[in-house]
Amino acid sequence: MLSKRNRTPSLDISRALYLYFLGLSTRGVAKAMFFLHKVRRSHVAIWNWIQKHNHQRISSKRKKISEYLVDETIIKVGSEYIWLWVAIEPKNRQILALSISKERNMFVAERFLSGLVKIHGKHPVSTDGGTWYPQACRFLKIRHHLHSPLEKSLIERTMQYIKDRTESFDDYFPCRKANCKLNHVINWLNLFVCKHNKDIMN
């Protein structure tokens, strides 16, 4: 009789991905998962989870996007500060896009909004009035307006939620490489967004 294959809980997969994005090898993750959570999986299985995650995109299961609520905040990575850019849909509160940069200006804002439009199409953009946003929206021919009190509350709660989660692990992202390109940061954030959006839809 064939034995039934046990599916790995999504929480364990998330834990394994987080450990990998912190810098552990797949073999190191396998050992850590068994030591910390008594989960026995091979390094090959963990590698497959990583490959599957790398092909996922931040997606939104929605029929229609009314507008983009966009904001940026500063987070600390190792010894430096970087800017985190986030866009959400106000009705279902899903995160539509997320990016990081070492600078905050019109060119970075335009690049972020351009990627957002490429995936989800052109929709009005609501921001807090940062001078870099109106210029970027004019360049992309997107209608821009300031947050209403409700929109401001929605985006600020989302930003704080993300910051709380990033600071819950030793307060900051561990970053030990000189001139790091911060790939581990964006990978962890993408993982967080995938779980966040999935939880909202469920």
Side-chain angles (χ1 to χ4, degrees):
M1 182 177 178
L2 294 175
S3 60
K4 186 177 180 180
R5 182 180 177 182
N6 293 326
R7 293 179 61 87
T8 304
S10 59
L11 177 60
D12 288 334
I13 294 177
S14 296
R15 286 168 172 165
L17 291 173
Y18 175 74
L19 290 170
Y20 177 78
F21 293 143
L22 285 181
L24 292 182
S25 67
T26 53
R27 294 181 185 276
V29 172
K31 292 178 180 178
M33 287 297 292
F34 180 71
F35 178 77
L36 296 173
H37 306 292
K38 304 303 179 184
V39 175
R40 189 186 298 275
R41 294 293 184 274
S42 70
H43 70 280
V44 175
I46 293 167
W47 174 251
N48 289 334
W49 297 341
I50 296 166
Q51 297 309 301
K52 183 178 179 180
H53 172 73
N54 284 343
H55 287 86
Q56 291 179 347
R57 302 174 71 177
I58 296 177
S59 61
S60 173
K61 295 181 179 178
R62 76 286 182 269
K63 293 181 179 180
K64 185 178 180 181
I65 293 176
S66 59
E67 64 177 340
Y68 301 128
L69 302 189
V70 178
D71 199 3
E72 82 288 337
T73 189
I74 200 164
I75 60 175
K76 192 173 184 182
V77 180
S79 61
E80 66 177 319
Y81 290 94
I82 63 171
W83 290 100
L84 170 67
W85 303 75
V86 177
I88 69 170
E89 206 288 323
K91 291 185 178 179
N92 56 38
R93 295 176 291 109
Q94 282 192 299
I95 297 174
L96 301 175
L98 179 150
S99 181
I100 57 174
S101 68
K102 294 188 177 182
E103 296 180 336
R104 180 181 65 170
N105 54 47
M106 187 274 287
F107 300 105
V108 178
E110 186 273 328
R111 185 167 62 246
F112 176 67
L113 294 175
S114 178
L116 187 63
V117 168
K118 185 177 181 180
I119 297 173
H120 299 286
K122 285 189 176 183
H123 300 283
V125 173
S126 173
T127 73
D128 61 0
T131 57
W132 39 90
Y133 290 120
Q135 298 176 58
C137 287
R138 282 195 294 270
F139 182 80
L140 295 171
K141 298 180 179 179
I142 303 172
R143 187 161 60 87
H144 171 267
H145 64 276
L146 299 181
H147 293 321
S148 68
L150 175 60
E151 291 169 341
K152 182 179 180 180
S153 175
L154 288 173
I155 189 66
E156 286 183 348
R157 281 188 295 179
T158 299
M159 300 301 279
Q160 190 58 51
Y161 177 73
I162 295 174
K163 291 188 73 171
D164 288 344
R165 295 303 179 275
T166 60
E167 292 172 358
S168 66
F169 295 95
D170 298 327
D171 290 333
Y172 308 120
F173 286 103
C175 188
R176 305 177 183 89
K177 296 181 180 178
N179 300 317
C180 178
K181 295 182 178 180
L182 304 179
N183 289 330
H184 65 292
V185 178
I186 197 67
N187 283 335
W188 189 91
L189 289 169
N190 282 335
L191 173 65
F192 165 79
V193 169
C194 288
K195 186 177 186 304
H196 169 77
N197 288 349
K198 183 178 179 181
D199 289 344
I200 285 180
M201 294 306 297
N202 292 338

